[in-house]
Amino acid sequence: MPLHPGERGCHYPSRVRIDLHTHSRVSDGTDSPEELVRAAQAAGLDVVALTDHDTADGWAEAAATAAEIGIELVRGMEISTLHQGRSVHLLGYLPDPTYPPLVTELQHVLEGRRHRLPMMVERLRGLGVEITVDDVLAVSPDAAASGRPHVADALVRLGVVADRDEAFDTLLAAGRPGYVGRYATSLDQAIALVAEAGGASVIAHVWGRSTSERPGEAELASLQELGLTGLEVDHQDHDATRRDRLRAIARNLGLVVTGSSDYHGTGKTMHDLGVNTTAPEEYARLIDAAATASAASGRPTPQVIR
Ligand code: AMP
Ligand code: ZN
Ligand code: FE
Ligand code: FE
């Protein structure tokens, strides 16, 4: 069933401000889902998506707040995946969160995160940093998805580093001495799972934090055949040149173009709500894609809260 029958191709006025990538304390942001949705309205946004890493646990609280204060909420998630040896973050919008294969796979990723935590602590202790698992849990009591940013927060609280950036730069980034890898879904599988769950998928910060412009157009075309809906083009990790090149690829292939903040509260600077936004017609295409996937799979996708 379409998400909102009769609204296909609907036109949002161009002043509408849409931010489709944010994190709450349920993963590595610093706002609760309620605080995040209120902050989105205060920032002048008309539409916001909650996209915590690998979990839908924040959806209910965010939806209740959105309905109460009258802001449009898109429920999503940012899935940790691997593609040809590289980490790729896949934004899944409006998947049925009860679709069993998706539930199983997210549990696998979250277990990988839980298992990594004591390994990271051991690694750091081996480097002479007196940190415990409890120190990390104490700074992230609401997190369903534990991660390196929480270890970074514990290191800040212990006085080892000044902020998250210093923690990543000196210890936690790939190639630094405190780095430990974790399980991730294959990108192909994650795209298929989102589509089968009646959702739409967008590759987050496609060429962010990378020296190479990969995946390139041919790879993106193959991913589109697997069900990929769009590319996050306007993101702080992309300079103007990369945005232009990605926009051209999206136009060639007919992929949806999104722009978003990747807001993490105070956990990430330069990522304020609304710092990048998505064009209303691209947003409408994204919602249509989820409706089409839902009709094909028979999985009921969550309604956009209006
Ligand atoms: P994880 O998924 O636990 O391996 O952690 C990766 C997450 O850490 C990413 O999704 C980013 O949100 C965050 N991150 C990566 N680098 C930095 C950084 N330099 N400063 C703050 N957060 C970062
Ligand atoms: Zn994050
Ligand atoms: Fe990401
Ligand atoms: Fe993110």
Side-chain angles (χ1 to χ4, degrees):
M1 202 181 83
L3 283 174
H4 14 274
E7 290 191 43
R8 276 174 170 259
C10 63
H11 242 76
Y12 289 81
S14 55
R15 67 177 180 280
V16 169
R17 299 186 73 233
I18 302 163
D19 186 341
L20 295 178
H21 182 170
T22 71
H23 297 267
S24 77
R25 280 208 291 271
V26 172
S27 62
D28 55 354
T30 58
D31 292 350
S32 68
E34 173 175 353
E35 288 164 351
L36 186 152
V37 170
R38 289 185 187 280
Q41 191 176 55
L45 294 174
D46 302 283
V47 182
V48 66
L50 175 66
T51 53
D52 278 310
H53 296 285
D54 308 310
T55 180
D57 279 13
W59 286 14
E61 183 183 320
T65 306
E68 181 197 328
I69 68 175
I71 184 172
E72 190 160 322
L73 174 75
V74 179
R75 286 169 280 184
M77 56 184 63
E78 186 176 16
I79 305 175
S80 306
T81 83
L82 260 185
H83 183 59
Q84 301 180 352
R86 288 186 305 271
S87 163
V88 173
H89 288 179
L90 185 74
L91 293 159
Y93 294 104
L94 302 169
D96 174 359
T98 69
Y99 177 54
L102 178 63
V103 171
T104 301
E105 189 52 30
L106 292 177
Q107 276 169 355
H108 199 164
V109 176
L110 293 177
E111 258 164 47
R113 288 182 170 280
R114 276 192 291 276
H115 287 148
R116 178 174 63 159
L117 186 50
M119 292 195 274
M120 292 184 75
V121 165
E122 273 318 298
R123 184 70 62 90
L124 290 166
R125 293 181 69 84
L127 295 167
V129 179
E130 291 203 13
I131 184 173
T132 65
V133 168
D134 282 345
D135 290 331
V136 181
L137 297 178
V139 296
S140 54
D142 301 331
S146 68
R148 286 180 287 163
H150 302 122
V151 175
D153 290 347
L155 291 169
V156 172
R157 189 177 277 188
L158 291 167
V160 176
V161 293
D163 53 29
R164 280 188 183 183
D165 281 336
E166 187 185 339
F168 273 86
D169 290 347
T170 59
L171 291 164
L172 304 179
R176 308 309 299 172
Y179 177 77
V180 178
R182 57 161 166 72
Y183 174 79
T185 309
S186 84
L187 177 58
D188 292 9
Q189 187 190 355
I191 290 171
L193 285 172
V194 171
E196 289 163 13
S201 58
V202 170
I203 297 182
H205 41 74
V206 188
W207 293 339
R209 296 212 183 121
S210 163
T211 48
S212 69
E213 294 190 349
R214 292 187 64 197
E217 182 159 347
E219 277 170 280
L220 291 167
S222 316
L223 296 168
Q224 186 179 22
E225 280 179 24
L226 299 178
L228 179 69
T229 309
L231 304 179
E232 187 179 63
V233 171
D234 290 303
H235 184 281
Q236 295 300 82
D237 290 353
H238 293 150
D239 63 17
T241 308
R242 287 194 168 181
R243 292 182 192 210
D244 288 347
R245 288 195 196 136
L246 278 170
R247 212 182 305 280
I249 290 174
R251 197 180 305 118
N252 280 347
L253 298 178
L255 288 164
V256 170
V257 170
T258 69
S260 300
S261 63
D262 203 357
Y263 173 74
H264 281 69
T266 57
K268 227 178 197 179
T269 52
M270 313 285 286
H271 289 260
D272 291 343
L273 286 163
V275 67
N276 299 295
T277 55
T278 298
E281 52 277 14
E282 298 294 317
Y283 173 59
R285 289 177 66 207
L286 183 75
I287 298 302
D288 274 357
T292 301
S294 175
S297 70
R299 302 301 306 187
T301 69
Q303 299 283 310
V304 171
I305 308 281
R306 292 160 189 272

